[in-house]
Amino acid sequence: MTRRVLVTGGSRGIGRAIASRFVDDGCEVVLTGRGEEAERTAQEIGARALPLDLSDRATISHLAERVGELDVLVNNAGGFVGRPPSGAPDVEAIADHWERTLRVNLVGPALVLAMLEPGLRDGGAVVSIGSIGAEYAGNPYSVAKAAVQAWSAGAAERLGARGITANAIAPGYVAGTNLWGGPVAEERHASLVERTLVGRAGSPADIAELAFFLCSPGARHITGQTIHVNGGAFLTR
Ligand SMILES: NC(=O)c1ccc[n+]([C@@H]2O[C@H](COP(=O)([O-])OP(=O)(O)OC[C@H]3O[C@@H](n4cnc5c(N)ncnc54)[C@H](OP(=O)(O)O)[C@@H]3O)[C@@H](O)[C@H]2O)c1
């Protein structure tokens, strides 16, 4: 049976690579995004686009009706939400930055899974994208990613009885995406690459291959994990 897959934030970058990987396997793929880029990408790769803003609860609440049953959910959409406030501490500005960041990177994915969970087919898979930043950084984005990784493990506990796996992928630096709102400055790129053991930045395909594997028959005993893809920039035991 053709697998049905939803990839949030599939308009570009890592999400686009993940969506393409599943399309190449013959899956029926729905990708989400907030604008025309999602529509364009869907046409280019042979998927269906669905408008979704992770901070828009009303849209999320109707997601299940628009998506139907699924075998795979990839919670990929996310990123920085504006710049952190600087200058004299302004409680409203600081609260706003925290709340918007958590809404998009943590609450959004949690609501998406909550709405789609009843329609997930037994034996399916959920993959959520965390970040290497969860391991050492304390800014709102990294804290949200640490929480996503914890929440993903909790989802695994709940879904295991139905044979559904839930794992997080924590990418290191992945070049060629729009996470920083444009190309990364040369010096910053070089210092991020220098932190790796393999001497290169990650690519969206590096993440897509793992996401695809985690949803494959060979990965049915892997669940509740956070798996790092960072070229050795952060080591685990
Ligand atoms: N690149 C890295 O080095 C890196 C490292 C660690 C983790 N990550 C994570 O990897 C994931 C993909 O990021 P990327 O690097 O591929 O960045 P990207 O090129 O900016 O792609 C981000 C995707 O998320 C969607 N998105 C962003 N904010 C959204 C919102 N409020 N509601 C709905 N969709 C939203 C975007 O769609 P539209 O703009 O079309 O709506 C886009 O498809 C993110 O969760 C990011 O935090 C990236």
Side-chain angles (χ1 to χ4, degrees):
M1 189 168 61
T2 306
R3 285 195 296 169
R4 302 198 74 243
V5 179
L6 178 80
V7 181
T8 67
S11 55
R12 59 174 180 273
I14 292 169
R16 175 180 172 134
I18 295 172
S20 293
R21 185 66 184 83
F22 282 100
V23 168
D24 290 348
D25 187 57
C27 299
E28 193 183 320
V29 177
V30 178
L31 61 85
T32 76
R34 289 165 299 177
E36 284 175 9
E37 197 176 357
E39 196 63 57
R40 260 199 319 275
T41 298
Q43 276 176 18
E44 283 167 14
I45 70 171
R48 175 162 74 91
L50 196 64
L52 175 70
D53 183 335
L54 283 180
S55 57
D56 176 3
R57 285 183 202 164
T59 308
I60 295 175
S61 72
H62 293 293
L63 206 51
E65 301 147 34
R66 302 165 77 196
V67 168
E69 286 197 334
L70 282 179
D71 299 284
V72 171
L73 167 63
V74 182
N75 280 305
N76 162 79
F80 303 123
V81 179
R83 288 188 168 278
S86 55
D90 171 344
V91 73
E92 289 305 327
I94 296 168
D96 182 61
H97 182 63
W98 270 98
E99 285 168 9
R100 285 190 300 130
T101 302
L102 293 175
R103 201 174 302 139
V104 169
N105 289 289
L106 174 62
V107 180
L111 295 178
V112 167
L113 177 59
M115 292 301 109
L116 298 182
E117 200 170 306
L120 269 179
R121 290 176 182 149
D122 290 358
V126 179
V127 173
S128 302
I129 305 298
S131 171
I132 190 174
E135 300 298 335
Y136 56 76
N139 58 66
Y141 168 79
S142 300
V143 170
K145 290 299 194 180
V148 158
Q149 292 168 197
W151 161 78
S152 168
E157 288 181 328
R158 204 171 56 246
L159 295 169
R162 295 173 53 199
I164 300 170
T165 61
N167 292 287
I169 298 176
Y173 169 47
V174 176
T177 82
N178 201 44
L179 184 68
W180 287 274
V184 175
E186 233 170 82
E187 233 172 76
R188 172 97 175 121
H189 172 85
S191 91
L192 290 167
V193 168
E194 206 177 311
R195 287 188 207 169
T196 69
L197 301 179
V198 296
R200 72 163 175 88
S203 69
D206 288 325
I207 311 303
E209 283 304 323
L210 177 58
F212 183 77
F213 170 68
L214 288 172
C215 303
S216 71
R220 296 299 76 211
H221 207 49
I222 303 173
T223 193
Q225 307 302 311
T226 294
I227 300 170
H228 295 266
V229 183
N230 56 39
F234 172 77
L235 305 179
T236 62
R237 299 287 182 274

